[in-house]
Amino acid sequence: VIFTATPAGVAACKEGDVVTVRRLSFVGVSAVDEARLRSALATREGSRFPWGSKAVFDRSRFDADLKRVEAFYADRGYPDARVTRTDVRLNRAQDSVEVELVIAEGEPVRVAAVNMRGFEVIPPDRVRALATDPALTVGRPRDLLHVNAMRDLVLNELREHGYPYAKVSIDENRDEGAKETTFTYTAEPGPLASFGSVEIAGNVSVAERVIRRQLTYQPGELYRRSLVRGSQRRLYGMELFQFVNIE
């Protein structure tokens, strides 16, 4: 990393003076959302209006931000991304800086295949649909946000088919330095379950029968997560409770 403005340049201000960030810009950012990258950093750009909030430049936080940039890219499938140059320009009054980061993104690691194991308890057409869901598309960069979103998706599918105690693990298979990776989602469905008895607690001024009328499921019915969430929304919709939780 080459600093075109050294720490000593900023340190030249009088002791006790505050240096603010007037502008924070990037060069070379095309594969990721620049707004999200900006929000992941501790160094922030202050308001351009005199009455707006100011962002103080902190050299130690800025140095840590260089690592945050690389971690941000790595999580989105670009493990070779690096900050190749930084430019910290101090103004004449020595009370603000303009910061520029030059980034080399490198080549991404792409998803080569998505495998589903242990999902025999749900209909085959649903398994095929899940494997091709846009949350994790073959050929796209390996984005951990999408990888985890896919896990939540398949887990909720199991819970929608009567498996409230289901678990899903993720295994990644990629050779060191390879530009393709394979993900395998393995399900442990657990026991098939039905709704049991309903116990209501915490109601003081609202009768139980009023609450029960809002439930979208009955004891003995096959468990479905959507019915639990629907019941909770209906109870909130009554606008009689500050907090409602169904376990």
Side-chain angles (χ1 to χ4, degrees):
V1 178
I2 301 175
F3 294 90
T4 57
T6 65
V10 177
C13 300
K14 295 179 182 179
E15 185 176 356
D17 285 353
V18 174
V19 178
T20 60
V21 181
R22 181 182 178 187
R23 185 168 178 264
L24 173 63
S25 60
F26 302 91
V27 175
V29 175
S30 61
V32 301
D33 187 321
E34 184 176 311
R36 290 187 177 182
L37 172 61
R38 187 182 295 271
S39 66
L41 304 183
T43 302
R44 300 294 174 89
E45 187 177 279
S47 173
R48 298 187 180 184
F49 299 102
W51 57 86
S53 61
K54 303 299 181 183
V56 177
F57 179 79
D58 185 304
R59 172 59 64 173
S60 61
R61 296 174 71 184
F62 175 71
D63 291 342
D65 276 338
L66 303 183
K67 295 181 180 179
R68 290 190 184 99
V69 169
E70 295 178 3
F72 181 91
Y73 268 94
D75 285 349
R76 284 152 183 80
Y78 290 81
D80 299 327
R82 296 291 182 270
V83 178
T84 58
R85 183 170 63 85
T86 67
D87 190 359
V88 182
R89 296 185 293 272
L90 188 65
N91 68 350
R92 286 178 177 245
Q94 297 188 347
D95 59 3
S96 70
V97 293
E98 293 187 359
V99 180
E100 182 180 83
L101 300 181
V102 179
I103 299 171
E105 296 179 323
E107 291 298 318
V109 173
R110 299 186 182 276
V111 178
V114 178
N115 301 319
M116 311 286 286
R117 295 177 180 172
F119 290 88
E120 294 82 6
V121 295
I122 62 177
D125 60 327
R126 289 300 306 151
V127 178
R128 288 192 294 271
L130 291 170
T132 57
D133 192 274
L136 191 64
T137 305
V138 171
R140 292 183 61 178
R142 167 194 175 276
D143 191 322
L144 291 184
L145 292 176
H146 293 164
V147 171
N148 292 323
M150 183 68 169
R151 177 186 175 277
D152 293 339
L153 188 68
V154 297
L155 185 58
N156 289 335
E157 188 71 21
L158 288 165
R159 291 172 176 171
E160 189 64 14
H161 284 82
Y163 296 91
Y165 309 109
K167 298 179 181 179
V168 175
S169 60
I170 307 172
D171 294 311
E172 182 177 4
N173 184 14
R174 177 169 72 98
D175 294 333
E176 185 176 355
K179 294 302 180 182
E180 288 189 331
T181 187
T182 298
F183 287 100
T184 299
Y185 292 82
T186 303
E188 297 179 28
L192 185 67
S194 300
F195 287 108
S197 60
V198 177
E199 298 178 5
I200 299 174
N203 56 312
V204 177
S205 59
V206 182
E208 274 200 15
R209 67 178 183 277
V210 176
I211 296 174
R212 289 179 183 273
R213 283 202 298 264
Q214 303 304 314
L215 302 182
T216 58
Y217 59 87
Q218 298 295 327
E221 188 175 351
L222 183 68
Y223 176 86
R224 289 175 56 194
R225 182 172 180 268
S226 61
L227 296 180
V228 176
R229 294 173 65 86
S231 298
Q232 190 160 332
R233 283 195 297 268
R234 290 183 62 171
L235 288 168
Y236 266 121
M238 297 176 69
E239 299 183 354
L240 297 175
F241 309 104
Q242 184 177 15
F243 175 77
V244 176
N245 184 46
I246 300 179
E247 295 182 351

